[in-house]
């Protein structure tokens, strides 16, 4: 899908605001840590959480470790399993993300049964993987911060409904990175094809090499620094564009960009 179409879709889906239909709580909690380990061979990874600081990283190890914070005497928070070469880490809460417009401005709503979603949760989930190539890595988060570090995957997707998504030091043939309301950042990556977007927020890309790179923001700024691409597509419905040391064989810009600094040079 082109950047222009993605930007319009993002606006219709979630650009105006975020309504979290749940309880709020920001008090510091005394967590205890639970851990799951396995030496089973895994070729794909799926991680889905509701509200947390989530980190998925590759390390020099021969086994998988999933470590998370929980309250004392709390029921298990996650369903963690390995089956047919696929690791699944999924929050047990029933989380539903809905973008119904109710005949008015489009709002992204998150409904949750069970544990309350906390917009500033300090609960942590860390998934450590052996340093190898994976067929697929998929990570999704409703509210919070999602980080993917040093992972090599043929297909890699990371998305947050409300929060920050940061992908660093990865390699991928296909990379999809998105934040509905928040910040999307890609740094020090080598990818074949990448699509990166934020509906209401900013996009930052630095130290990236790509054959095809598509970047879009519905409402917010886009920043590219030390980026090299074969084909580069940039779109913004309403926002600014900052370019620094950006090179491409071919490029297009679409949308209503209020301010542009820097330029795109031939590779």
């Amino acid at each position: 899908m082109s950047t222009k179409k993605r930007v319009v879709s993002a606006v219709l889906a979630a650009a105006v605001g975020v309504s979290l239909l749940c309880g709020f709580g920001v008090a510091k909690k005394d967590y205890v840590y639970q851990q799951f380990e396995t030496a089973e061979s895994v070729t794909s990874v799926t991680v889905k959480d509701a509200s947390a600081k989530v980190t998925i990283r590759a390390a020099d190890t021969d086994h998988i470790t999933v470590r998370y914070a929980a309250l004392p005497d709390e029921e298990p928070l996650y369903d963690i399993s390995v089956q047919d070469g696929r690791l699944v880490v999924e929050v047990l809460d029933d989380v539903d993300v809905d973008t119904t417009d109710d005949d008015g401005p489009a709002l992204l709503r998150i409904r949750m049964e069970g544990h309350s979603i906390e917009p500033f949760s300090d609960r942590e989930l860390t998934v450590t993987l052996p340093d190898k190539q994976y067929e697929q890595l998929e990570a999704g988060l409703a509210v919070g911060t999602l980080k993917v570090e040093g992972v090599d995957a043929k297909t890699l997707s990371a998305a947050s409904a409300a929060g920050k998504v940061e992908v660093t030091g990865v390699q991928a043939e296909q990379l999809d990175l998105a934040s509905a309301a928040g910040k999307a950042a890609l740094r020090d990556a080598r990818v074949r094809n990448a699509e990166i977007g934020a509906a209401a927020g900013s996009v930052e890309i630095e130290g990236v090499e790509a054959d095809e790179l598509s970047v879009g923001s519905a409402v917010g700024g886009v920043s590219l620094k030390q980026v090299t691409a074969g084909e580069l597509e940039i779109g913004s419905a309403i926002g600014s564009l900052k370019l620094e040391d950006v090179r491409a064989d071919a490029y297009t810009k679409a949308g209503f960009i209020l301010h542009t600094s820097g330029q795109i040079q031939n590779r």
Side-chain angles (χ1 to χ4, degrees):
M1 180 184 295
S2 70
T3 298
K4 185 181 295 184
K5 290 182 180 178
R6 273 193 307 109
V7 168
V8 172
S9 297
V11 172
L12 293 176
V16 176
V18 175
S19 173
L20 304 179
L21 305 184
C22 56
F24 289 161
V26 296
K28 184 73 174 180
K29 296 180 174 62
D30 294 323
Y31 290 115
V32 295
Y33 285 86
Q34 306 292 335
Q35 188 159 301
F36 167 89
E37 293 187 6
T38 181
E40 291 188 63
S41 179
V42 164
T43 58
S44 64
V45 178
T46 298
V47 178
K48 295 181 179 180
D49 205 345
S51 174
K53 297 177 179 179
V54 178
T55 301
I56 305 168
R57 64 187 183 188
D60 185 12
T61 180
D62 61 356
H63 63 280
I64 294 168
T65 303
V66 181
R67 186 174 185 266
Y68 66 89
L71 294 174
D73 303 322
E74 188 171 29
E75 293 294 323
L77 294 176
Y78 298 94
D79 180 12
I80 304 173
S81 64
V82 177
Q83 187 173 2
D84 298 327
R86 181 176 180 234
L87 169 69
V88 177
V89 181
E90 189 168 14
V91 70
L92 288 171
D93 300 309
D94 182 13
V95 179
D96 175 46
V97 177
D98 134 35
T99 57
T100 304
D101 60 15
D102 292 334
D103 298 322
L107 297 178
L108 184 146
R109 301 176 177 83
I110 302 170
R111 296 182 176 86
M112 181 173 177
E113 299 295 335
H115 303 275
S116 295
I117 294 181
E118 300 178 6
F120 304 104
S121 175
D122 59 352
R123 185 170 61 79
E124 298 177 354
L125 167 68
T126 302
V127 180
T128 303
L129 305 170
D131 188 5
K132 65 174 188 177
Q133 187 181 64
Y134 294 85
E135 289 293 323
Q136 182 180 41
L137 187 146
E138 177 186 7
L141 178 64
V143 181
T145 301
L146 171 61
K147 295 183 178 181
V148 181
E149 302 172 347
V151 175
D152 183 349
K154 290 183 179 180
T155 301
L156 193 159
S157 62
S160 173
K164 178 180 180 181
V165 183
E166 186 172 348
V167 177
T168 306
V170 303
Q171 297 184 60
E173 294 183 11
Q174 176 64 47
L175 171 67
D176 295 297
L177 173 60
S179 175
K183 178 179 179 180
L186 176 64
R187 299 186 178 92
D188 303 324
R190 303 294 177 267
V191 297
R192 179 175 296 175
N193 184 295
E195 295 189 9
I196 303 161
S202 62
V203 176
E204 293 184 5
I205 303 173
E206 181 176 354
V208 172
E209 292 184 9
D211 292 343
E212 298 180 20
L213 177 60
S214 178
V215 184
S217 174
V219 181
V222 175
S223 173
L224 281 71
K225 181 178 180 180
Q226 296 175 350
V227 172
T228 301
E231 295 183 15
L232 175 61
E233 189 178 41
I234 302 172
S236 177
I238 301 175
S240 61
L241 173 62
K242 182 179 180 180
L243 304 168
E244 183 178 347
D245 191 16
V246 178
R247 301 174 183 275
D249 293 335
Y251 66 89
T252 57
K253 291 192 292 183
F256 184 58
I257 300 174
L258 297 176
H259 175 73
T260 300
S261 64
Q263 59 184 347
I264 301 172
Q265 302 176 7
N266 291 330
R267 187 167 67 163

